[in-house]
Amino acid sequence: MEGAATECKGLSITTRGLGLAACDLCYVAASAGVAAPVYAMYRVFLGVAEAKLNACSKHLEGPMRALQHEYKVTPDKLDAPLSVPILPALIKHIIDAIDVITVDGTTYCPFVAAQVRRCETVVTLSSPETSDEYRYMFKERCPIPGAVWDGYVLKNADEIIPEGYDWKKDLEGDMWPVHMFLISMQQKYPSMAAGPLSPTGARVSLAALISSRMVMGHLHAPPRRAGEPLPEYCGRCHPRGTNGWPYYKVADAEMPEVEVVLGQVALLGEEPLWVLDAPHKLLRQAYEVRLGAHGKPNRVIGSYSIALMRVNQAMLCPPARGGGGGRRA
């Protein structure tokens, strides 16, 4: 299916799956008696993913360049997050899947679409001036571990991403406690931790080609109660709800089943609720490749826990690329 590229398309990416994976990691850590640096970990995972996206962005061509958001992890800040020595295996698999993919003469370049509503900022969610409908929809499917809500207003924005957070200096400062946490986890669960990211361009997975629609499910990280101690919260913070179905493949590419399931856990190709009805042509254009992938729907594994278990099992004994991965989807 691979070959010389004749066309380049922008492949919209979301980071919702990273928040849910971080949430699950906190839950596992609590069961092992290891204190998780919940918010620092979330910031580090987001920063590493953004660095990977920025590293891929040089391949983005044409009008899509104007549709990507302005990355906070700029080229002068890429080295540290892209060279982290240890990551949780699931987080590594998700971020490794963010890569330039060439299938059947078409190159798909990952990017994060600029959001007209600035939906990815905690500041927006913490403002009562933001529409009630938008804050309601976000809270119902919130991927942020440890988010504290008062009704539908986010109350701990500065705890999640402090105002004025420096995505170089502060991110590097967050990396140390996260690194020490992962070493502790590796001692408890040796298979949970993995090495550094694969180089940009290695293209180790096709999972980013899996698309789904957020409107079909209510998968979310449980909110933290006001004043609740973090260890107590982590003991109950396993992601809740189900993935929506169906899922779609952007390209008619054969892939091992584990990559299909990883796509459902990673949620890299999830379309936000508001895209189809967006009055903004540019926002719809940013998701054009995803929206055009709805011709051949497949049933999703609705249970996040089951899908996560299957991905984790496959990571313990991964099949060779191109074979041995079970039924191909």
Side-chain angles (χ1 to χ4, degrees):
M1 293 292 289
E2 297 183 39
T6 59
E7 183 182 14
C8 181
K9 294 184 177 181
L11 190 65
S12 58
I13 294 291
T14 76
T15 56
R16 212 166 81 90
L18 288 173
L20 294 167
C23 190
D24 180 73
L25 183 59
C26 292
Y27 178 77
V28 174
S31 68
V34 179
V38 177
Y39 303 111
M41 187 166 63
Y42 181 56
R43 292 190 293 268
V44 167
F45 295 164
L46 288 180
V48 175
E50 182 154 289
K52 181 70 180 292
L53 282 156
N54 206 339
C56 293
S57 66
K58 62 184 179 182
H59 299 279
L60 195 62
E61 299 176 356
M64 285 295 169
R65 278 192 168 276
L67 300 178
Q68 67 179 335
H69 93 140
E70 184 177 348
Y71 295 115
K72 298 179 180 68
V73 182
T74 50
D76 62 307
K77 304 173 184 177
L78 295 180
D79 289 346
L82 287 180
S83 60
V84 287
I86 182 174
L87 282 167
L90 179 58
I91 298 297
K92 172 179 161 57
H93 276 63
I94 292 174
I95 298 176
D96 273 348
I98 301 172
D99 211 339
V100 178
I101 300 172
T102 299
V103 176
D104 200 22
T106 298
T107 292
Y108 298 92
C109 183
F111 74 105
V112 172
Q115 304 293 346
V116 174
R117 301 189 192 186
R118 300 175 64 201
C119 66
E120 295 179 331
T121 65
V122 291
V123 174
T124 300
L125 297 168
S126 63
S127 172
E129 296 181 4
T130 303
S131 74
D132 292 343
E133 179 186 15
Y134 172 70
R135 285 183 283 105
Y136 167 80
M137 289 192 300
F138 193 102
K139 180 185 176 182
E140 293 298 298
R141 298 167 178 83
C142 177
I144 302 172
V148 177
W149 297 86
D150 180 5
Y152 296 103
V153 176
L154 183 67
K155 302 303 291 184
N156 63 333
D158 276 345
E159 195 171 23
I160 298 166
I161 301 179
E163 184 177 359
Y165 186 82
D166 187 310
W167 287 90
K168 180 175 176 62
K169 181 183 66 177
D170 293 335
L171 183 64
E172 290 178 357
D174 278 338
M175 286 179 181
W176 178 248
V178 173
H179 180 69
M180 296 308 296
F181 162 72
L182 293 175
I183 289 176
S184 297
M185 287 298 292
Q186 190 175 30
Q187 293 171 347
K188 299 279 187 177
Y189 302 105
S191 63
M192 179 169 286
L197 296 174
S198 300
T200 302
R203 213 221 72 187
V204 299
S205 174
L206 295 173
L209 294 179
I210 298 297
S211 294
S212 59
R213 293 172 64 182
M214 190 187 299
V215 71
M216 305 299 288
H218 289 83
L219 185 60
H220 66 283
R224 179 185 172 193
R225 304 182 186 102
E228 182 179 20
L230 277 174
E232 183 178 321
Y233 168 74
C234 288
R236 61 174 189 83
C237 72
H238 185 71
R240 300 175 184 174
T242 59
N243 283 324
W245 66 273
Y247 74 83
Y248 310 84
K249 287 191 285 187
V250 164
D252 188 19
E254 273 194 300
M255 61 182 77
E257 185 178 9
V258 64
E259 294 185 8
V260 176
V261 181
L262 176 60
Q264 297 173 32
V265 170
L267 299 175
L268 294 172
E270 192 176 53
E271 298 162 18
L273 293 169
W274 50 87
V275 171
L276 286 176
D277 297 325
H280 308 281
K281 181 179 178 181
L282 289 180
L283 184 56
R284 290 196 302 273
Q285 186 180 349
Y287 289 87
E288 181 179 10
V289 171
R290 299 286 182 194
L291 296 173
H294 294 170
K296 298 179 180 179
N298 301 270
R299 182 174 291 276
V300 79
I301 299 173
S303 168
Y304 179 87
S305 296
I306 293 176
L308 182 62
M309 178 186 68
R310 288 176 59 176
V311 169
N312 284 333
Q313 287 175 340
M315 284 191 286
L316 293 178
C317 187
R321 173 78 191 157
R327 178 181 59 80
R328 290 178 177 265

